[in-house]
Amino acid sequence: MKQGDRLFKIINTLFLILIVAVVLYPLYFVVIASVSEPRLVTAGKVFAVPAGLNLDGYRKVFENHDIWTGYKNAIVYTVVGTAVCLGCTIPAAFVLSRRDLPGNKLFMGLITFTMFFNGGLVPSFLLVNNLGLYDSMWAVTLPFAVNVYNLIVARTFMGSSIPLELYEAAQLDGSSDFQFFFRIVLFLSKPIISVLVLLYAVEFWNSYFYSLIYLQSRDKFPLQVILRELLIQADMASSIGGDSTMMQLQELAETLKYSVIIVSSLPMMILYPFVEKYFEKGMMIGSVKG
């Protein structure tokens, strides 16, 4: 290997290590800060390893019974919402990927239009309410059944990975449109389906704004809404506490923030490794080709 090539690889390796450190350290810091003594975190003495052991943040989080209800609701909304979105996005993407579809460009233009313009919050609320979806699980799943960006990515993937010739060959073998879709298209679309599962699952898991708007019953709140209330209560308590307890309440509020991040992010971190091998392939083909 030439001296210049060796130097280039060394510089590249060092640069990538630096990038990885910049990306991973904030995540690592949140983990160690969530189990460290709050006053040491506030004083900036937590850097590489946990300082002291304090689990008050996690204890406070899990002592709240609403947390478990929120976890259950968040899982239900995420699973049901992702299934609904996939059931709408995948067939629509397949249909729109066919070049022989009459009015293909018109349909895509109308769908793309909704990425930039919509009715707004008040008309959307009135629509949800008039449909009888208000304060139900469907209020936070059905109105968001199709994400246009995800639809375009899936359409591009299918258009470049499932050629028209394959469809014609299936027709010659006596396959109907439904048989072609369920037996061939879904099988060949595993990478993009995995990508959509991750994107939709993260979207539903992290969503809290529409839950605040469309849900009224506390027993239907997802995890993110409960955690938001917990943080607000901690901040309010620290702001109105007496002088003797002010510092303790502020420290508790600070450690709660880190604990809440871990509690809310852990499920998605667990999910990602299972779809990671498909993620890059699906995103690259779906975003670039076609």
Side-chain angles (χ1 to χ4, degrees):
M1 182 183 296
K2 295 182 179 180
Q3 186 70 23
D5 293 339
R6 185 180 294 107
L7 180 62
F8 177 77
K9 286 192 173 183
I10 292 174
I11 294 175
N12 256 355
T13 301
L14 294 176
F15 179 72
L16 290 176
I17 291 174
L18 176 63
I19 294 297
V20 170
V22 170
V23 172
L24 290 184
Y25 179 74
L27 300 176
Y28 173 72
F29 176 79
V30 169
V31 174
I32 62 176
S34 68
V35 296
S36 297
E37 194 67 34
R39 58 184 177 80
L40 298 178
V41 177
T42 306
K45 297 182 179 180
V46 176
F47 181 75
V49 294
L53 180 63
N54 189 300
L55 300 178
D56 287 345
Y58 291 103
R59 191 176 298 110
K60 180 69 174 177
V61 168
F62 289 110
E63 279 178 355
N64 191 325
H65 297 293
D66 289 337
I67 291 291
W68 302 107
T69 302
Y71 247 118
K72 182 196 71 175
N73 292 337
I75 292 173
V76 171
Y77 296 158
T78 300
V79 172
V80 173
T82 301
V84 169
C85 290
L86 289 178
C88 295
T89 303
I90 298 300
F94 169 65
V95 172
L96 293 171
S97 70
R98 310 320 302 170
R99 304 293 183 183
D100 55 344
L101 173 69
N104 187 301
K105 292 184 178 180
L106 174 63
F107 289 129
M108 278 306 306
L110 293 175
I111 292 173
T112 305
F113 179 84
T114 63
M115 289 183 67
F116 307 100
F117 303 96
N118 58 62
L121 183 59
V122 174
S124 299
F125 177 84
L126 294 176
L127 176 62
V128 169
N129 189 46
N130 291 335
L131 290 174
L133 302 178
Y134 181 71
D135 199 28
S136 71
M137 174 184 67
W138 305 111
V140 293
T141 53
L142 286 182
F144 316 101
V146 175
N147 181 296
V148 177
Y149 172 79
N150 294 344
L151 174 64
I152 293 174
V153 171
R155 166 189 173 271
T156 306
F157 177 91
M158 292 181 181
S160 60
S161 301
I162 307 174
L164 183 61
E165 291 77 13
L166 184 60
Y167 174 65
E168 294 172 348
Q171 279 187 317
L172 291 176
D173 290 335
S175 175
S176 65
D177 290 338
F178 283 101
Q179 289 175 327
F180 178 70
F181 176 75
F182 286 106
R183 294 183 179 181
I184 299 177
V185 173
L186 292 183
F187 179 78
L188 295 177
S189 301
K190 286 182 179 180
I192 197 62
I193 291 175
S194 300
V195 171
L196 293 180
V197 166
L198 183 62
L199 293 178
Y200 278 126
V202 170
E203 181 179 347
F204 278 106
W205 184 264
N206 290 332
S207 176
Y208 76 93
F209 177 74
Y210 291 107
S211 299
L212 289 173
I213 301 299
Y214 298 136
L215 297 179
Q216 184 179 24
S217 302
R218 188 172 182 81
D219 61 345
K220 295 178 182 176
F221 285 170
L223 177 65
Q224 303 299 339
V225 175
I226 303 297
L227 295 179
R228 174 181 175 274
E229 289 185 352
L230 197 61
L231 287 178
I232 292 176
Q233 291 171 4
D235 286 339
M236 290 180 62
S238 64
S239 63
I240 63 177
D243 294 337
S244 60
T245 60
M246 177 74 75
M247 185 61 68
Q248 292 180 349
L249 290 172
Q250 287 179 342
E251 290 175 353
L252 177 60
E254 192 68 23
T255 192
L256 262 177
K257 294 177 183 179
Y258 297 116
S259 304
V260 162
I261 292 173
I262 299 298
V263 168
S264 60
S265 303
L266 192 59
M268 291 300 105
M269 292 181 180
I270 294 174
L271 173 65
Y272 179 74
F274 293 99
V275 297
E276 184 271 338
K277 64 179 179 180
Y278 299 110
F279 190 80
E280 180 181 355
K281 179 181 178 182
M283 285 300 293
M284 289 299 294
I285 296 178
S287 301
V288 178
K289 291 188 178 180

